[in-house]
Amino acid sequence: MKKGSDLLVEALENEGVDRVFGVPGEENLDVVESLRKSKIELVLTRHEQAAAFMAATHGRLTGKPGVCIATLGPGALNFSTGAAYAHLGAMPMILITGQKAIMTAKQARFQIVDVVASMRPLTKMTRQIVSPASIPSIVRDAFRVAMEERPGPVHLELPEDIAAEEIEDVPLIPVHALERPVAPAAALDRAAEMIRAAQRPLVMIGAAGNRPRLVEPLSDFVRRTGLPFFNTQMGKGAVTGGSNLYMGTAALSEGDYVHEAVALADLILAIGHDTVEKPPFLMRSAGGPKVIHVGYQSANVEQVYHPDAEVIGDIGATVTGLAERLGKLPEQTKTLELRQRILTKINARAEEDRFPVTPQRLVHDVRAVMPEDGVVCLDNGMYKIWFARNYRTHVANTLLLDNALATMGAGLPSAMMAAMLHPERRVMAVCGDGGFMMNSQEMETAVRLKLNLVVLILNDGAYGMIRWKQAVDKFPDYGMTFGNPDFVRYAEAYGAKGSRVTSAEALVPTLEAAFKGGGVHLVDCPIDYSENTRVLVEELRNRVPDVDLA
């Protein structure tokens, strides 16, 4: 006879799962044994948070839920940040946690917390499995819910007695395709009319426009209409190719050079904007451009985002329908003239020889060593703004950053997942020294998995973004600096390789050597963040917007 754990693993196989990430405990031992006998690989991590980040990144890159496993209590609670990361970032994921037996209570309340209740605000759905017979239908429902728009995490709790209970064979539930509603023709007609009536329409691509299945329809829409576009941080890379219609990325909410294009526009077609992101521009009650919201779901009306019209339905079908109605639109001469000025300003000083390296030089040199399909995975820190502004993407999902939860500690695990999914590509994790140390133990996991991965550590001995904000707010420099290990020797202690950058000119050759050497290679690079104040505060505050509305 089969056990509940056997049914669970068979149901996962039925969904196409090939890996499960996590740190099992004694309450998961039946599941571990069932996994051992299955085709699914158990990827053991050194912390549950990293397992959740890896599973979430699997969902982000493939559109199919990644799966992670942990024990009860402390192990389950260590999933919390990863669950929130996937929930805000709209990444499909399944979290499976153990629990003490529910038919008996031989250990009283030892290690027991209400994990289902704790996961409720962090997931789309959370359920305790109370009967092995229900496992096939619950797993099928979990995957359906995780993948439906808006995607996100689903939590299942499997008590150890339910996992161990023997049961007659229960049939699995066949996987069926998800159908997404199509926007009404009247809404498409109204949006097309508003776009044709505009003098200077501009497209913005947000986080929900950056799904793997949308690459071709969005790229085709831009090509067919000729509309200039910009993107939010998490919408970066949704359009393939080195488009000459790209205006930039909104790394700040206002006042950056790309916001000159926003000020010039009289209509913004916001494709897939999700207000969990830091606002890419601020809508005002009067005087700004009209906004059309194109999304799978209605817009969340916020103080800074309250669209004038909405087109709700599958985004791919919507933009295809709009392209058919619009055809090739007149060239936006003034907007495209502005484009070159914006990009020139943003790329200023990108080849300065100062050392420690400046953020502009860092981004420039990383772009130089990464092929078009190379994947850069950012942790969270000051450098994220610079990569969002300055790093050009030509292939979808080749710059992974988190502008929703914006948690530290996710960069290395997300890069590990990218390297597992794309072993033929160059993959780089870019981490601040603070964020890296929050999950640095996963270097051992990366080495054990024999990944090819470069980990670039930006070393300033501080929580740099908060320290910069502290200075901008004119507070004394206090409480943000720390000491670091010798990162080269630290990497070597895990069986990885390590290098240290000693000049600006050495960054590119050091990174090239790291990639060519293969395996896991950490590169320690000192960075000078004084440019934050010069560019992001003084230059942007004092500049005169170069926008001609005539």
Side-chain angles (χ1 to χ4, degrees), residues 205 209 214-223 238-239 271 315 319:
I205 301 173
L214 294 180
V215 174
E216 287 309 315
L218 274 176
S219 301
D220 184 62
F221 171 76
V222 169
R223 284 192 296 266
V239 173
I271 300 175
I315 289 177
V319 297

Side-chain angles (χ1 to χ4, degrees), residues 19-40:
R19 296 185 182 102
V20 172
F21 308 91
V23 184
E26 63 178 287
E27 289 74 23
N28 308 115
L29 288 179
D30 284 288
V31 176
V32 170
E33 175 60 12
S34 297
L35 285 170
R36 185 185 69 82
K37 296 183 292 185
S38 76
K39 298 177 182 178
I40 299 174

